């Protein structure tokens, strides 16, 4: 069972570059989320989606964009990367019936 | 809005000793509560959850947690830890209706020493 798959696992970006973090789930979950994890700060919600075509901002959305064209995929776009976006990014999914969120393995991003 | 406070950033403990990781939360609505574990360079894995009913919930790997509504706490316990329990532990909450995004605490690093 694949669960939640994130690509890439690691990436180094230069300041001002852009990139897309990919996230796919095969559990037919309606809800999907993007979090960032900074040392000693726990996980902060960036964006979330309750279904295809529906997205909304979380706590820390500035500098990011998302789209949800299918149930399976929820890519996170970074425009004009900044050092403050150096972090580990986690994608997660859940269903309305099952309260448990399933997490991907994370993407470690460094902006230099 | 919800908030979660994990009172200890690091907890060192010797192997086979008991451990308690503390978690307090704040919310204006009813919530579900969770503990997740993160092993080095991995994603988060659910340890246990409280939705309703019995306030003592048991999870994987011998962990248990007790929900205390009056003290708004959800402390995690294990009677005897192993080296393999060394990891980061996160307490999280989500409203029991509406948006289900988790709000996390800052994490507690459990370091089990031989």
């Amino acid at each position: 069972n694949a669960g939640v798959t994130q690509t890439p696992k690691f990436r180094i970006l230069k300041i001002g570059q852009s990139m897309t973090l990919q996230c796919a789930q095969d559990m037919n979950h309606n809800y999907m989320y993007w979090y960032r994890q900074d040392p000693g700060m726990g996980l902060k919600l960036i964006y979330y989606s309750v279904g295809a075509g529906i997205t909304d901002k979380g706590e820390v959305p500035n500098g990011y964009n998302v789209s949800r064209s299918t149930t399976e995929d929820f890519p996170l776009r970074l425009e004009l990367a900044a050092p403050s976006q150096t972090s580990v990014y986690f994608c997660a999914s859940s269903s309305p019936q099952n309260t448990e969120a399933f997490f991907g393995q994370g993407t470690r991003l460094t902006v230099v | 809005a919800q908030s979660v406070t994990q009172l200890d950033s690091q907890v060192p403990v010797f192997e086979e000793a008991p451990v308690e990781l503390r978690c307090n939360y704040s919310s204006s609505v009813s919530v579900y509560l969770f503990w997740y574990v993160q092993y080095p360079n991995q994603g988060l894995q659910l340890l246990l959850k409280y939705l309703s009913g019995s306030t003592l919930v048991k999870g994987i790997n011998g962990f248990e947690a007790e929900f205390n509504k009056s003290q708004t706490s959800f402390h995690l316990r294990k009677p005897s830890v192993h080296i393999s329990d060394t990891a980061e532990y996160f307490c999280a909450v989500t409203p029991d209706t509406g948006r289900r995004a988790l709000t996390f605490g800052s994490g507690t690093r459990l370091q089990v020493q031989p």
Side-chain angles (χ1 to χ4, degrees):
Chain A
N1 292 336
V4 179
T5 302
Q6 291 183 238
T7 55
K9 288 187 169 49
F10 304 93
R11 182 73 185 268
I12 298 175
L13 277 183
K14 293 185 178 179
I15 294 172
Q17 288 185 322
S18 60
M19 76 166 292
T20 299
L21 282 66
Q22 301 292 343
C23 175
Q25 53 93 7
D26 61 359
M27 296 172 282
N28 201 31
H29 285 167
N30 290 338
Y31 299 164
M32 295 189 75
Y33 317 89
W34 274 105
Y35 292 90
R36 59 176 288 171
Q37 182 182 26
D38 300 306
M41 301 293 290
L43 282 77
K44 301 293 185 185
L45 182 67
I46 306 172
Y47 270 95
Y48 69 99
S49 170
V50 299
I54 306 170
T55 63
D56 206 350
K57 296 177 180 179
E59 299 174 72
V60 290
N62 291 345
Y64 307 95
N65 277 299
V66 294
S67 59
R68 183 98 182 266
S69 57
T70 67
T71 299
E72 294 77 20
D73 300 299
F74 191 41
L76 178 71
R77 178 82 177 164
L78 278 73
E79 305 282 2
L80 298 175
S84 60
Q85 293 178 304
T86 293
S87 188
V88 181
Y89 292 83
F90 287 100
C91 180
S93 72
S94 68
S95 68
Q97 297 77 25
N98 187 336
T99 53
E100 177 182 355
F102 293 82
F103 285 80
Q105 295 293 294
T107 295
R108 185 174 296 273
L109 175 68
T110 302
V111 182
V112 296
Chain B
Q2 295 77 44
S3 67
V4 178
T5 301
Q6 292 184 243
L7 298 163
D8 305 297
S9 59
Q10 293 191 61
V11 174
V13 63
F14 287 107
E15 195 173 18
E16 298 183 5
V19 70
E20 179 179 82
L21 306 184
R22 296 179 294 170
C23 172
N24 287 88
Y25 71 95
S26 173
S27 177
S28 56
V29 299
S30 294
V31 294
Y32 296 147
L33 298 118
F34 304 82
W35 276 98
Y36 281 85
V37 60
Q38 184 181 34
Y39 299 104
N41 300 314
Q42 293 190 26
L44 279 72
Q45 178 185 1
L46 181 70
L47 267 182
L48 48 77
K49 61 184 177 184
Y50 172 79
L51 306 182
S52 64
S54 173
T55 57
L56 182 64
V57 292
K58 295 188 183 299
I60 61 171
N61 301 340
F63 284 92
E64 62 181 32
E66 185 153 22
F67 170 56
N68 187 319
K69 189 173 183 179
S70 63
Q71 297 189 1
T72 60
S73 67
F74 191 52
H75 301 331
L76 181 70
R77 303 186 183 101
K78 186 169 183 178
S80 175
V81 295
H82 302 288
I83 296 287
S84 58
D85 293 322
T86 295
E88 187 100 22
Y89 291 80
F90 292 96
C91 182
V93 301
T94 186
D96 63 1
T97 58
R99 188 181 94 172
R100 288 288 176 80
L102 293 162
T103 299
F104 286 87
S106 55
T108 298
R109 174 159 292 280
L110 177 64
Q111 297 170 302
V112 182
Q113 304 164 13

